[in-house]
Amino acid sequence: MSGARAKIMDSIRRGLHRGAPDEAARAECEARLARHASGPIPARGQLDSEGQVALFAKMAEGVSATVERLEGYEDVPAAVARYLKANNLPAEIRLAPAPMVAQLDWSSQPLIEVTAGASDGSHKVGLSPAFAGVAETATLMMVSGPEAPTTLNFLPDHHLILLPRSRLFGAYEEAWARLRAGYGEGEMPRTVNLVTGPSRSADIGHVPQLGAHGPRRLHILIVDDEAAPER
Amino acid sequence: MQTTAHRFTEKASAALADRELQGMLQQMRVHVPERRQAAVDALPEFETLRDRGRAIKDHVIANLDFYLERFEAKVTAAGGKVHWCADAAEARDTILGICRKAGARTVTKGKTMVGEEIAINAHLERHGMIPVETDLGEYIIQLRDEPPSHIIAPSFHVSAAQVADTFLEHHTHLDPKRPLGDIADLLSEARGILRSRFLAADVGITGANFLVAETGSTVIVTNEGNGDLTQTLPGVHIVLAGIEKVVPTLEDASTIMRILARSATGQEMSVYTTFSTGPRRPEDPDGPAEYHVVLLDNGRSAVLGTEFQDLLRCIRCGACLDHCPIYHAVGGHSYGSVYGGPIGAALTPALVGLEKSLDLPNASTLCGRCESVCPMRIPLPKMLRNWREAAFDRHLMPARARWGLKLWAFLAKRPALYRRISGAGARFLAWRGGKAGRIASLPFAGGWTRWRDLPAPEGETFQARWRRERGGA
């Protein structure tokens, strides 16, 4: 409805007592967009790497997520096996088709049935890589793409997430900076999910319950990698 | 926007007499403000973030046309389509058109207050489609055919026992003897039923907490994950947003995110904050094939340049409802508007007209708690006063209130007479209050004394005491 567009723009400009923005106003807004300056950054996340891991783990516990620290990617399959067993789950896992995950060697866990791809809701347990983690609130940044189906973040009851320690930041703004470095200024993948703990709702009886529509459990594996793997 | 705001007095009286509702409101009075305060105390930067958030919104409002144009250009570049709608009817028809083109039968919905504002569900139903609310609270009130009673907790007024009754009545394919005594049982049942709805839906409609001009992204914030399943699984994703939701950059969105969850639920961060940009990419394994953004004006641009412009900063967190003594007393339905509480009392007259919502600006004690907790520092009491003045100036007030004010003004302009009459009044009320100092019933004040005692004055007016103690200085 282009008629509506013109009508709305007219009404906005009438309210602002001006016509279309002049050159100076445009330049100011353009500069503001190009700068994309950060607002106040909470001091709590501005720590060294070990401090950020500790803060992330503490905040994750506060939102009922669990965290496990691994020395390297080679420890992931055994950690998955332990998780499945401890939670009485079938020996099956659905993987995001990402290199970080695809390169895992599952030969030590021959009993686990491993498949890769998006989820149609029939998978109990999913494993995906996080693009970044933010210690401030134990938030995971998940990005969509051929290597990371969004459905895996929401449909399985149990969501296991690989977070390389080199991708753990103090604040959201640092994660955005890393995303811009990968995708370009002003560009985004189709979906960026910031995930903080398992799904929950307090809509019945005002009592918080886990597992409303998304995962009932969120288990984060922080892997001590050498350097950030390129996506 | 449909409103029954003109029936505020009647509905508020009914709410006061509703014992079940009063029990739930009682809980809210204490616990909800405590949770917010704990989250605020845990973040020393909170007040600085509020200032920054307000500055971001003020900058956007002053350049709203620029940022909306940029947002549209970025959405288009990402393969999405922006639809501009001046009013609710245009938005309803636009959405219906998209759903028809998609051959939709089932339409899932994430929570959207703008969807309530334009009454999209009824419109889709009238045209043979089945809208399914997927936010648990919205789902419950959809089954009960009720409007939301709180901006972020739409089923706030429904008890767990009532939810169980509602599920028994509507989920008739399940065993009527199944146990529904635990909240976990109820949640599990809703999860199972809605999961099949998500997977069967043809179109998903969500609202938006932010629109990011820099990237053309729309942002939803949820705790359940329902919004994400709504927008990821069907072939078509429609985002419905007011034009005031735009922010310049990802950093600006992050600043406001930090104050939104803490103000809304006392969480450090909501569970899911999702940025969507265009339809699925050719190489993506999932996501919708079509992405539409419906931008709604519906009275918002008309607020620009008026004394109510600051309302456009609102991020719909609900903190003003959570801290309002009037909301605590009468609940959300009394307001008769999609937006209740202080923000609803200030916003509804701007959206539907003051003559249809005359009581709302008066549904406030002007105590100022709303302004003190508003993350965007919107001067709500000042706005409510402005509406009251406008109602007087435009001769919209009932004759009785008008004459009452005139009588008071007459007295206030005659100090000697005022002193005599107020002195007599104070003495009479003190006598009436007796030793207890409280009055349980009083002629012409039944509306007050029916619900609580009126504290009696001490037998002397402030002016008289001042004169006595300070020698009339």
Side-chain angles (χ1 to χ4, degrees), chain A residues 32-46:
Chain A
R32 198 185 181 290
L33 283 171
R35 243 185 354 257
H36 46 73
S38 298
I41 303 289
R44 72 154 75 133
Q46 304 307 300

Side-chain angles (χ1 to χ4, degrees), chain B residues 360-379:
Chain B
L360 298 195
N362 290 305
S364 167
T365 63
L366 303 183
C367 69
R369 273 182 102 190
C370 50
E371 182 175 356
S372 74
V373 297
C374 173
M376 286 292 154
R377 301 193 195 280
I378 299 172

Side-chain angles (χ1 to χ4, degrees), chain A residues 1 4-5 7-9 11-21 25-26 28-30 32-44 59 63 97 117-121 136-137 139 144-157 171-173 176-177 179-180 183 185-207 209-216, chain B residues 24 27 42-43 45 48-49 52 56 59 61-70 72 74 84-86 90 94 134-137 140 153 155-156 158 160 163 183-184 186-188 191 194-195 198-199 214-215 217 223-226 228-229 231-233 237 243 248-252 254-255 257-258 262 267-281 283-286 288 291 295 297 301-302 304-305:
Chain A
M1 271 179 214
R5 186 184 194 280
K7 204 164 133 188
I8 294 169
M9 284 295 174
S11 175
I12 290 173
R13 287 167 186 161
R14 210 167 36 244
L16 295 171
H17 306 293
R18 61 165 173 74
R26 261 179 196 288
E28 190 203 322
C29 293
E30 291 286 2
R32 198 185 181 290
L33 283 171
R35 243 185 354 257
H36 46 73
S38 298
I41 303 289
R44 72 154 75 133
M59 299 307 292
V63 294
S119 179
D120 59 6
E136 182 183 339
T137 47
T139 297
S144 67
E147 298 156 4
T150 301
T151 40
L152 263 190
N153 298 342
F154 294 96
L155 287 171
D157 278 4
Y172 314 121
E173 285 81 350
W176 291 130
L179 191 77
R180 282 199 190 93
Y183 287 81
E185 290 284 320
E187 299 303 316
M188 292 278 272
R190 147 72 195 169
T191 306
V192 176
N193 299 121
L194 302 183
V195 178
T196 311
S199 159
R200 70 191 59 213
S201 173
D203 278 349
I204 303 178
H206 313 142
V207 181
Q209 298 276 310
L210 296 183
H213 291 296
R216 300 170 196 267
Chain B
M24 283 182 285
Q27 289 220 338
L43 188 71
E45 294 85 356
T48 325
L49 285 160
R52 174 75 175 198
I56 291 168
H59 171 75
I61 289 168
N63 299 281
L64 190 55
D65 47 349
F66 174 89
Y67 285 113
L68 286 171
E69 278 176 351
R70 175 56 52 93
E72 179 186 37
K74 292 299 290 188
W84 301 75
C85 299
E90 280 184 14
T94 300
T134 63
D135 171 88
L136 201 53
I140 291 165
S155 66
F156 180 82
V158 188
V163 174
I183 288 170
L186 296 167
L187 183 74
S188 198
R191 180 185 168 103
L194 285 169
R195 186 55 76 88
F198 283 125
L199 293 163
E214 175 196 6
T215 56
S217 308
N223 277 319
E224 299 182 2
N226 65 305
D228 289 283
L229 291 172
Q231 66 175 41
T232 306
L233 297 172
H237 176 198
I243 53 171
T249 66
L250 296 168
E251 282 75 5
D252 294 321
S254 304
T255 292
M257 266 154 49
R258 287 195 178 96
R262 290 176 172 93
Q267 286 171 286
E268 301 260 359
M269 175 82 168
S270 300
V271 179
Y272 301 111
T273 301
T274 294
F275 295 67
S276 306
T277 314
R280 77 196 277 176
R281 313 283 159 86
E283 66 281 9
D284 282 351
D286 49 21
Y291 174 74
L295 285 181
D297 184 346
S301 62
L304 284 168

Side-chain angles (χ1 to χ4, degrees), chain B residues 164-368:
Chain B
D165 291 343
T166 304
F167 283 6
L168 280 173
E169 185 189 334
H170 289 272
H171 301 162
T172 47
H173 63 290
L174 299 173
D175 177 7
K177 296 206 183 72
R178 67 195 183 279
L180 287 176
D182 279 356
I183 288 170
D185 298 331
L186 296 167
L187 183 74
S188 198
E189 180 164 316
R191 180 185 168 103
I193 286 178
L194 285 169
R195 186 55 76 88
S196 58
R197 301 292 199 137
F198 283 125
L199 293 163
D202 307 298
V203 174
I205 301 177
T206 67
N209 291 83
F210 313 106
L211 311 170
V212 184
E214 175 196 6
T215 56
S217 308
T218 58
V219 185
I220 58 168
V221 178
T222 79
N223 277 319
E224 299 182 2
N226 65 305
D228 289 283
L229 291 172
T230 297
Q231 66 175 41
T232 306
L233 297 172
V236 180
H237 176 198
I238 303 175
V239 181
L240 176 55
I243 53 171
E244 83 283 15
K245 291 285 180 201
V246 67
V247 297
T249 66
L250 296 168
E251 282 75 5
D252 294 321
S254 304
T255 292
I256 302 176
M257 266 154 49
R258 287 195 178 96
I259 48 180
L260 173 61
R262 290 176 172 93
S263 300
T265 56
Q267 286 171 286
E268 301 260 359
M269 175 82 168
S270 300
V271 179
Y272 301 111
T273 301
T274 294
F275 295 67
S276 306
T277 314
R280 77 196 277 176
R281 313 283 159 86
E283 66 281 9
D284 282 351
D286 49 21
E290 283 181 42
Y291 174 74
H292 301 266
V293 183
V294 175
L295 285 181
L296 179 71
D297 184 346
N298 206 29
R300 287 164 173 79
S301 62
V303 175
L304 284 168
T306 73
E307 57 204 339
F308 302 106
Q309 174 170 305
D310 291 347
L311 286 172
L312 298 178
R313 290 205 298 263
C314 176
I315 54 173
R316 306 283 190 268
C317 68
C320 59
L321 284 69
D322 295 340
H323 292 76
C324 175
I326 301 294
Y327 183 95
H328 288 170
V330 301
H333 284 162
S334 299
Y335 294 83
S337 165
V338 166
Y339 304 104
I343 183 65
L347 188 62
T348 306
L351 297 183
V352 306
L354 181 56
E355 63 288 349
K356 288 188 196 159
S357 51
L358 214 45
D359 279 338
L360 298 195
N362 290 305
S364 167
T365 63
L366 303 183
C367 69

